[in-house]
Amino acid sequence: MVNRIVAGVDIGNSSTEVAIARIEGETIQFFSQHLVKTTGIKGTVENVKGIRLALQEAAKKAGLDWKQIDLIRLNDAVPVIGDLAMDLISETIITESSMIGHNPDTPGGAGLGIGLTVLIDQIFDVAEEEQDYIAVVPKAFDYEWVANRLNQAEMQGISITGAIVQKDDGVLIYNRLHKKIPIVDEVSLIEKVPLLRLAAVEVALPGHVIRSLSNPYGLSTVFKLDPDQTIQIAPVAKALVGNRSAVVIRTPQGEVVERKIEAGRMILIGLQNRLEVSINDGAETIMNAYEKLGKLLDVQGETGTNVGGMLNGLRQDLAELTGQSPNEISITDFLAVDAGIPTSISGSMAGELSMESGVALASMVKTDRVPIQKVASLLSEEMGIAVEVGGVEAEMAIRGALTTPGTRKPIVILDMGGGSTDAAMMDETGNITSTHLAGAGDMVTMLINSELALGDRELAEKIKKHPLGKVLSLFHMQLEDGTMMFSETPFPSYTFGRVVIREENELIPLTIRASMEKIREIRRSAKRRVFVANALRALKRVSPTGNLKHLSFVAMVGGSALDFEIPQMLTEELGKYGIVAGFANIRGTEGPRNAVATGLVLSSVKHGVTK
């Protein structure tokens, strides 16, 4: 009988888990498991380094040489649910700048033009030597006259590097020019364009997006900005991501007191219809619109707004990672959560902040199978071992969860990781229904980081993972549940009077002014808004009737099931529907960890891949 060593590899957003087992016929003997931090973005070739390390360490634990592994099975990791796919959306106030960011159907030309804005009929009155100009063309001027005027200017040595046009005349003008320039047209409010101010016009080739004006450092290069000014203008660049054309105009300090970049509208595209919903309407309205839509095919963001910048930026980044066109990448799920966003108070003298309301978005992105197949090919090439993509994460997780003592079919699992929340149901006949939703532990970290105005993601991660206390004296501490803890040894002097994060072997004092009660409230609220909301969404999707009351048992797996309060929160919430919930104990030894890696090994027998 064939005797083979098989490794299951679960690539997550935060961690990569491995399980190694010997398979002889249908007998499986697990040897070891290991966990490392995921290298790079989930589902991309950057993961290979972490996978190799995890396999080598797991093999060492099993007393094997990693070269003895006969087959590696990877989960069908979907990129990307991490930081790239999340953001906090609200209106942004910018000062000393104006911008036009839109996608007219037919802008003229391509490239970047920089110069002073000047009305088309005043070019010859204001032109100076060695000065570049951007022509501003109101709708009163005919395109042939405009083209002739620009050609005359060029013949007289006046440098025109770009044009902003009110009517849809960009191509008509461009085709008649002797010297080609980028032209942004269909600018309806052209009377608001400030004149004799430094401006940049950028137009990308068809099928491409602008690169300079959507990059904060591109803007700082164009306008010669210092680091503080670059930070100030960064929201402009963000709002222009994904546009084919744009104009940015720099105005002297104080001339433009403030200008808003709108939060924007989301366009939800379904099987039968499409719905538009404003970010300003809040998370509840957005999620209600999503539920009303039914099956989601894609989400678009209004161009020139913050949500448009976030969603377009996500597509653009993924396109670069996967080698696909941005148009081939769709968003198949999202979670919107109301969030507090710290905002600088204008005129403040000590960095004071106010909390503005916004919406946090986590998105699920669909690409083809190419990225994970590339991971498999590179891993096989580097290690000299056969590698295959094993299957959908939720289905593998449910196979792993069934190794928990006391479980049997039918069974429902909730897999809560760093980037996504998955649910799967296996009925008595072994048929599996699964769903894969955006939003999990990373989104909770983002909310805590924002609502406590920490500006420190690592600290937010620690607040998420550990309980708090307040050191009242060298020997006693008030815990967050109100009880007192006395110590036989003195607490470190630097923790005295401070709210501290209680790690296993260390107390980390917090320097923020918020009380322990306030920090705890924000932490627990963030977990409820993400995990409880997503658990209910996910379970509703896998329930055969769509009714949670028809589910009986749920086993929680994944890294977030190890959290010190999330399982209790879910148990309490699901108890309202009569559901018994608890965290799994994979193979009776691993707790809620290693479900997918274990499932990948187990499923190899079913599919006969080791025979």
Side-chain angles (χ1 to χ4, degrees), residues 191 335 350 368 491 604:
E191 65 276 8
L335 175 65
D368 60 24
F491 296 119
S604 69

Side-chain angles (χ1 to χ4, degrees), residues 200-218:
V201 173
E202 185 176 10
V203 177
L205 290 167
H208 293 256
V209 294
I210 57 170
R211 304 285 295 179
S212 297
L213 301 188
S214 60
N215 173 10
Y217 302 112

